Amino acid sequence: MTGQAEDTKSQPTLLSSKLLLQHQAVEAALNRHVFVWKEIEKSQKRGISKTPRSHTVPVSEIVAIHHAEDEEHPKSKWDQKKKLQFSQLFTNAFTVYYVTRTKHHRWRCSEATFSCSSPELCEQWIQVTREQLSLLTNRPKRLLVYINPFGGKRRGRRIYEEKVAPVFHRAGIFADVIVTERANHARDHLTTEANLDEYDGVVCVGGDGMFSEILHGLVARTQTDNKVDQNRPDAELKSCMLRIGIIPAGSTDCICFATVGTNDPVTSALHIIIGDSQPMDVCSVHHNDVFLRYSVSLLGYGFYGDVLADSEKKRWLGPARYDLSGVKAFLCHNHYKGTVSFLPAEDNLGHPRDKLQCRFGCSICQHKQSSKDKLRETADEETAAEVSSSSSWKVICGKFIAINAANMSCACPRSPKGLSPSAHLADGSADLILVRKCSRLDFFRHLLRHTNTDDQFDHSFVEVHRVKKFHFEPLDPQPLLLENQSELPKKPGFCPMGSTQTTCIPSAAHSSWNCDGEILNHAAIQVSVHCQLIRLFARGIEEQQQCV
């Protein structure tokens, strides 16, 4: 921070003058990095001293600057009267809109209106500030926006029109808006129809399902344009050039929460406006060399797969279906036989249990980015490294209650630390969590630690590995026939939830994979982590003490 402050002070001042801010005289100054205003100290009476207040705004966090009288578009006679009074009160004035931070990682668009001594000075402030904003080439100018009108509580269109569109308009961003009419509408449009050369980014207004559509459409389009076969598990996928923005408007917004720190539409809109860029790893999932899906958060087999499969039958219950299905899966306490083979990420700086959380400016992710850039220059060395590491695969056989692969912490309000607290967004690896067969009480203790700060990996039946790739092969037993009750397993505490025992039989052939909230049709899968395949309009979660 000290070095940054010294660097800011060393920057030449582009503009400096005395202005009025709400009838208070201030000294305002602008350089390439910051816009600063400070109250001019007045002579104090009766010996009372008052410290003049100052305010500093990074130029990168200025949303826009406009003439004060041009800001509002009156819709009624009352609005017209207010605008007339405003223009009379603030003559030769300009308004600066900028980012401020509030609690719980939320951002807001604040404003300050300054009055100048002359129209020429006012125009000079607007022109010089806009010139500095134009140098910020990472800011989008034109966006392709997809709105899911059915997700969550059907509030997507209203959230965009009332909270996001006005902020985009103020920042001078043009948006082409498409309201989706069916499932996979956005994915199909991105894959085949959209002219991506016209846009600086793609924005989805919805939940995690809508984001998944955008992800699959954009990644598939990029591979098609670069003639990359997605069905090859060993294919080197091309990174997407366009960034993805998420305006949370669904029943679950886990991706937004994990990359911004809050599920707030205005906060996400401001991250898009200032042009933040957060790289993210993506897992590709294959079955017998056939591409199935991409995943950015959680791949879960066993417990989480059972919860999702059962909840799909209870969609009429709304979000409550996850709680009911979770209790049901816990009481059934199923376990599954299988073989897990994985390639450890031995070149990574971090470890799943090092308690180093991925935050804004994460050194581990930045180190991976620099390493990735060097490997691009020496592709032959990268290929040689892959060949030499082929013998490093580890194999584990056993009975598992849950097999989870987390690309990120998967933190949410119910689980503040997530499934893997030290997982990183862009380090080219996933955390593979194996929960072996154990008692129901032990498994409950493991689940309980997701809701507090205790180490959920500190159990003898839990192990975690940071991996680049992994395969899973179920070991299918002979299915049991319900007609022969004598062959049913005598299992203490076995508790069917309904009139039949079909859903709680622990010797079912296999579970289902939960892939970011979607069920996969195959249990045997091959998974590869693709380092920083996409980028979001985000910056990672900021440390809370940076808020003002």
Side-chain angles (χ1 to χ4, degrees), residues 131-151:
E131 286 175 355
Q132 296 308 304
L133 295 180
S134 67
L135 298 176
L136 303 174
T137 55
N138 59 324
R139 293 195 171 194
K141 296 179 176 61
R142 191 182 185 100
L143 297 170
L144 178 58
V145 179
Y146 294 96
I147 300 177
N148 179 7
F150 307 109

Side-chain angles (χ1 to χ4, degrees), residues 218 316 325:
L218 193 59
W316 53 274
S325 297

